[in-house]
Amino acid sequence: MKPMIATITKIENVGSLHVVSFDFFGEVLKMMSLDLSDEVKVEKEVEITIKPTHLVVTKGFSGNVSVTNMLQAKVISCE
């Protein structure tokens, strides 16, 4: 998988929980963390990854789902 470069747009703190928002080609992605490095700052470009065990791929999906980050994509090959 190619590296995914995104820009941090917002960091929200709710108690000890941090919610970090990213801009990825106009799509808003979010991450939750209990601990953040001092290097994590708004407007910083970062590489984001997806754990293969947390990836859901569907075709023609419609309806409600409890997934925060959803991207439309085109599968061009599968190994």
Side-chain angles (χ1 to χ4, degrees):
M1 181 181 292
K2 291 183 182 179
M4 298 170 57
I5 306 299
T7 304
I8 299 172
T9 57
K10 182 169 39 170
I11 301 172
E12 299 173 89
N13 300 313
V14 180
S16 62
L17 179 68
H18 308 282
V19 180
V20 183
S21 298
F22 304 90
D23 174 37
F24 179 67
F25 291 101
E27 296 287 339
V28 176
L29 302 176
K30 294 187 178 189
M31 172 193 82
M32 291 186 289
S33 177
L34 293 174
D35 189 30
L36 286 181
S37 163
D38 291 337
E39 295 178 20
V40 178
K41 297 181 189 286
V42 173
E43 296 186 10
K44 181 171 183 168
E45 282 193 348
V46 293
E47 183 176 321
I48 56 177
T49 60
I50 300 169
K51 290 176 74 171
T53 56
H54 293 165
L55 180 66
V56 177
V57 179
T58 66
K59 180 179 179 182
F61 179 80
S62 64
N64 295 327
V65 66
S66 62
V67 175
T68 301
N69 299 313
M70 297 179 71
L71 296 173
Q72 288 195 354
K74 179 179 179 180
V75 176
I76 54 175
S77 70
C78 185
E79 296 179 19

